[in-house]
Amino acid sequence: MTGNADPRHAGEGTTSRARLDRGRGALGPALELVHTGRAPTRAVLTAELGVTRATAGAVAAELEALGLIRVDARPGAAAGSQGRPSHRLALADEGPVVLAAQVHADGFRAALVGLGGRIVATTPSCEAVDADPAKVLGAAVDAGADLLRRTGRHCVGAGLAVPSAVTEPEGLALNPLHLAWPAGAPVREVFAERVRAAGVSGPAFAANDVNLAALAEHRHGAGRGARDLLCVATGHRGVGGALVLDGRLHTGSSGLALEVGHLTVNPEGRPCHCGSRGCLDVEADPLALLTAAGRDPGPEGSLLQQANELIREEYADPTVRTAVEALVDRLGLGLAGLVNILNPDRIILGGLHRTLLDADSERLHAVVADRGLWGRNGGVPILGCSLDHNSLVGAAELAWQPVLDDPLRALAGGTGNAGAAAGR
């Protein structure tokens, strides 16, 4: 025996390698399709990528070998179906994770998030936010690093959501008005330093919390399938907005687009932190609702929690109902102006605004339609955000983006520690 390969199969290894080489450029797009739920089977993956069935099979096998997805080669056939069912594709249950952190006016939280926007583990929300960004970010990263140690999961990056516009490419928190942080705090640099100091592997990113909520909802939640998606939300304090255009997060020339909180919706209204009056930021957030309803914020629970509970438990109270109607009218006025300018095909509302929508959807739709250029017949769908902790999930999307762009390079540790927001 000479050990020579059977000449009948001599070309098979070369053919397989060539097929895989052709498919390597499709690894990222294929992973993104599975990540966002758009390719549940190999047949769908083949069609979406526009490749041969054999190439799609090689791509799926490579992603499975990287520990990112699972391929079920023997799925059960659906009732009434004909022919052999296509291989099922799913995200790996024990695959890598990213560390996500969110800071807001009433605390911070850390989590481990897998592909598909799945939160694997999370810390309780901490209710103390120091005026020193380094202390807060250090505590958040340490909490996330502890989750990694306890779960034993492999981490490929970290993402941070903050309630401020974050400049690009510097990564500065330009207006953290509700955190008592200095304007221009270098949050991305500090976060990256704390990530490295904690021994967490992978690149670190930071961006505005509502931008990240919109990104998460577009990929995994109520915004899925929208082409031009407008997201407006009020969390613990203030109002933020974000826009996804043609599937990509629109952040403007330097990361500062869609500061919708400073639209004037009540010219004679409350003074705003920005120096103006009657901005959406102070006319349609949780504190505004509590104030309009004549309720003093209590020591228990966040402002968002107190405002939501007030609506859900005391909406029958005429004072509460009147306060809700006032906020709905102001929110609707702001949304109508945005619709006239941006012409989105869907609006999603988060935080207290989702609760306002649930409380009086008809009134909100009517205000937007009456103030809109296109009238009632051109009403844009308005939905509530559907993901829990969507800003955390969005922060994770930042860290997952290098893996989605180039799985082989990212998992080999070749992405570095650059921090620009992904925007995809």
Side-chain angles (χ1 to χ4, degrees), residues 25 30-31 40 50 64 70 72 131 144 167 256 305 414 416 421:
L31 180 60
E64 185 173 39
R70 291 184 294 107
D72 182 359
T167 62
L256 308 180
Q305 180 181 346

Side-chain angles (χ1 to χ4, degrees), residues 56-112:
V59 168
E62 180 77 355
L63 292 174
E64 185 173 39
L66 291 170
L68 298 171
I69 72 169
R70 291 184 294 107
V71 180
D72 182 359
R74 296 186 177 183
S81 63
Q82 297 181 348
R84 186 174 65 181
S86 179
H87 294 186
R88 300 288 303 179
L89 306 179
L91 297 167
D93 292 333
E94 299 300 321
V97 295
V98 298
L99 188 159
Q102 180 184 7
V103 180
H104 52 73
D106 291 313
F108 64 86
R109 183 188 296 269
L112 305 182

Side-chain angles (χ1 to χ4, degrees), residues 4 83 120 123 159 168 201 236 254 295 306 349 380 390 394 397 403:
N4 291 338
V120 174
T123 64
E168 298 293 348
S201 59
H236 299 266
S254 56
R295 307 301 173 90
Q306 293 178 54
L349 301 178
V380 58
N390 52 16
E397 290 297 310
V403 181

Side-chain angles (χ1 to χ4, degrees), residues 30-52:
L31 180 60
E32 184 164 340
L33 287 166
V34 181
H35 170 64
T36 54
R38 291 177 290 155
T41 68
R42 196 175 70 178
V44 175
L45 184 68
T46 301
E48 289 288 338
L49 292 177
V51 297
T52 65

Side-chain angles (χ1 to χ4, degrees), residues 5-27:
D6 187 331
R8 292 172 297 176
H9 304 287
E12 289 187 359
T14 301
T15 301
S16 297
R17 284 193 300 273
R19 184 181 299 130
L20 184 55
D21 288 341
R22 289 197 302 273
R24 286 195 192 278
L27 285 176

